[in-house]
Structures are given as C-alpha cells and as structure tokens.
Amino acid sequence: MAEPGAGGPAVADDQGWRLRHLPVLLAASAVLGVVAALVGAVTGGGVAALGAAAGVAVTVVSYSLTTVVLARADAVNPQLVLPLGLGLYIAKFTLLGVVMVAVASTGWGGLVPLCIGIAAGVVVWTGVHIWWLTRVYSRRPGS
C-alpha cells in the first residue's frame, strides 16, 4: 500500500509534476490533427479529413481526461489511482464502443479515416510521452 507523502520532499516541492508533460502531448497531437486532416483531404476529400481529425481528437480527449483525473487522484490519495483508473478505463471504452457502433450504423464515409486517426493519435501520444519521460523528465535536476 502506498503511504501518504511517500514521494518525499522532492515531490512535495514540485506540485506540478503530474501534469507537466501535458502541454507537450497536446502540442504534438495538434500537429498530428492538422497532418491527419491534410492527408485525409488529399486522399479522400472533406469527409476523410473530418474523420481523420476527429479520430485524433477522440484520442486527445480520452487521454487528457485520464491524465487529469489520475493526476488529481494521485494528489489527493495515491490509493485512488487504481480504482479511478480502472473505472475510467471501463467507462471510456464502453462509450467508445457505443459511439463507434452508432457511427458505423450510419454508413458515414469518414469511419475508416476516424479509426486511422484514433490509431495515429494513440501512437503519437504514446511515442511523445515515452520521449518526454526518457529525454526531458529523466534529465530534470535532482533525478
């Protein structure tokens, strides 16, 4: 079990560490959203551009929500991270499944670009997060 204050004095002095990576991830995702829309427009027109950009947006909203909720839970009590994380995971994937089935049932032409945008968003978000953790956060003073 995690003990309150287990982070030590370094964490207590740096209350913003839980969300410090978020602006970098959002910026990378914004660039991806523009690129996805451009690729979609070139390869499939306006519907594909909208679908690809919307797919990236779905990933950004999902991951940002998780980041903020878990950072807040960890700040309040680290023992809340697991139950809130699992509950949020179940809720998000249930909602995503319902939305994807609803979109698929309409026959909308942007469904495939939407799915590709979601996948690209996951890859970019995860890749940039790994880069940030290994190249930026690991080089902070006191680490």
Side-chain angles (χ1 to χ4, degrees), residues 15-40:
Q15 292 298 312
W17 71 270
R18 291 176 186 91
L19 297 174
R20 184 164 294 131
H21 62 290
L22 198 53
V24 174
L25 295 170
L26 293 173
S29 297
V31 170
L32 174 63
V34 170
V35 170
L38 289 173
V39 169

Side-chain angles (χ1 to χ4, degrees), residues 59-84:
T59 303
V60 169
V61 168
S62 173
Y63 281 23
S64 296
L65 174 67
T66 300
T67 299
V68 171
V69 168
L70 294 183
R72 180 68 182 137
D74 186 46
V76 170
N77 182 349
Q79 293 178 353
L80 294 174
V81 172
L82 181 62
L84 283 175

Side-chain angles (χ1 to χ4, degrees), residues 77-103:
N77 182 349
Q79 293 178 353
L80 294 174
V81 172
L82 181 62
L84 283 175
L86 290 173
L88 193 56
Y89 180 83
I90 291 167
K92 286 187 330 182
F93 276 92
T94 301
L95 179 61
L96 180 62
V98 168
V99 168
M100 293 302 285
V101 168
V103 171

